[in-house]
Amino acid sequence: MESRSSSSSRSVVMMCCVLMLMIAAAAHAGEQEAEECASPMSIEEACRGASETHHAVAYDHCVASLTADPRSSSSEARSLHGLAMLATRMAIDHATSTVCKMDDLAELEPEDSSSPSDARARFEHCLEQYGGAADLLRDALDNLKVRIYGTAMEQLSAALGAAESCEDAWKGDEGNIPIAAHDREYGRMAHIAIGFTHAAA
């Protein structure tokens, strides 16, 4: 009898635990849904706000860039928080593609140049800058996921320095920067990510 009673008690406890977990999960889902419903944000609204508070964000470019990305149609991208993460992911993509482009171009340059300011040295400088920026952006994304906006802002701002530093390496020869388009687009996306994160904080 005692064995049956003990077994029955354990079953009741297990059922209660399962029920509590289900209730907690439902409550969490409800909170997320309520949050999304309470503060929906379209790409146009987010870009308008960012362009008004950050002069480096161009409204038309912001809207065109985000809507062109397939990830913008996800449910996550329907809030300002989600758009900040999307813009950061896009900045990571641009940083990564810029690194690949520079790496390819650097391989085409001779290694035995005696000039410290040759093209290969410039590419290697930019590679180092963008590699570090990509790491900073990934860290910023991790902080955005848990809504640590202050730290994310600091990391996004620091990552923005890659474009400026790379451009400085080509000073005096600006018209011949082979990665100008990549460099410019990266800077634009980083500014958008900063604008969105600032507004979401």
Side-chain angles (χ1 to χ4, degrees):
M1 289 290 292
E2 289 183 4
S3 177
R4 290 181 181 179
S5 177
S6 176
S7 177
S8 177
S9 296
R10 285 197 297 269
S11 297
V12 171
V13 170
M14 288 180 65
M15 288 178 64
C16 288
C17 289
V18 171
L19 183 59
M20 289 175 66
L21 287 171
M22 290 175 65
I23 292 172
H28 179 65
E31 288 173 2
Q32 287 186 316
E33 184 178 343
E35 181 181 349
E36 291 177 2
C37 292
S39 56
M41 178 71 70
S42 69
I43 289 175
E44 290 78 10
E45 290 173 317
C47 287
R48 185 175 297 109
S51 65
E52 290 174 352
T53 56
H54 292 73
H55 70 278
V57 176
Y59 173 78
D60 290 338
H61 172 267
C62 178
V63 173
S65 297
L66 288 165
T67 54
D69 192 300
R71 291 170 293 190
S72 66
S73 61
S74 69
S75 59
E76 181 184 75
R78 294 174 189 167
S79 68
L80 189 55
H81 173 77
L83 288 170
M85 290 198 295
L86 173 58
T88 301
R89 288 190 179 100
M90 292 173 69
I92 293 171
D93 293 344
H94 282 295
T96 303
S97 66
T98 302
V99 166
C100 293
K101 179 67 174 176
M102 286 187 294
D103 194 39
D104 290 341
L105 292 172
E107 288 297 320
L108 300 176
E109 298 295 332
E111 297 183 29
D112 57 353
S113 174
S114 59
S115 172
S117 61
D118 67 348
R120 189 179 183 90
R122 291 171 172 175
F123 282 131
E124 289 177 351
H125 170 77
C126 290
L127 276 168
E128 182 180 350
Q129 293 300 310
Y130 273 96
D135 290 337
L136 280 168
L137 289 168
R138 293 186 187 98
D139 290 341
L141 182 60
D142 288 339
N143 281 307
L144 278 172
K145 289 176 181 177
V146 292
R147 302 176 187 272
I148 305 177
Y149 295 113
T151 303
M153 278 287 293
E154 292 175 4
Q155 292 162 332
L156 288 168
S157 298
L160 189 60
E164 298 170 1
S165 181
C166 186
E167 289 172 8
D168 286 344
W170 294 86
K171 230 168 217 182
D173 197 19
E174 288 86 355
N176 295 314
I177 301 178
I179 54 165
H182 289 264
D183 197 46
R184 191 179 308 114
E185 191 58 28
Y186 165 77
R188 288 175 173 175
M189 285 312 308
H191 275 295
I192 292 171
I194 290 172
F196 286 176
T197 301
H198 180 261

